[in-house]
Amino acid sequence: MKYKVFIGIDVSKLTIDVHLHGIGASKTFSNEEKGFALFLSWVKSIVNNPGGDDHMLRAYRYVFN
């Protein structure tokens, strides 16, 4: 199986930096409850995009459900 998209997450005391390698999406969130909720919403919006890749949705469901 070949993977086209990888997620890189760097967690520090103040921020959560996320990069989706393969599609070039990056974003920084605050490392607190609200920031984590925004991070999950952002990932959901990408994987649930009708033009998105099905394998990203399967990976998201495996990790977060």
Side-chain angles (χ1 to χ4, degrees), residues 9-17 28-33 35-36:
I9 303 172
D10 181 33
V11 179
S12 70
K13 187 174 183 177
L14 299 176
T15 63
I16 302 169
D17 299 308
T28 299
F29 305 91
S30 61
N31 189 359
E32 57 188 15
E33 188 174 343
F36 188 72

Side-chain angles (χ1 to χ4, degrees), residues 7-10 16-21 25-29 39 42-43:
I7 187 168
I9 303 172
D10 181 33
I16 302 169
D17 299 308
V18 183
H19 183 79
L20 298 175
H21 301 271
S26 295
K27 198 152 186 165
T28 299
F29 305 91
F39 157 66
W42 180 69
V43 172

Side-chain angles (χ1 to χ4, degrees), residues 21-57:
H21 301 271
I23 62 173
S26 295
K27 198 152 186 165
T28 299
F29 305 91
S30 61
N31 189 359
E32 57 188 15
E33 188 174 343
K34 181 179 178 183
F36 188 72
L38 290 171
F39 157 66
L40 292 178
S41 293
W42 180 69
V43 172
K44 283 180 186 179
S45 72
I46 291 173
V47 299
N48 290 327
N49 179 355
D53 293 320
D54 183 53
H55 67 278
M56 286 185 65
L57 181 56

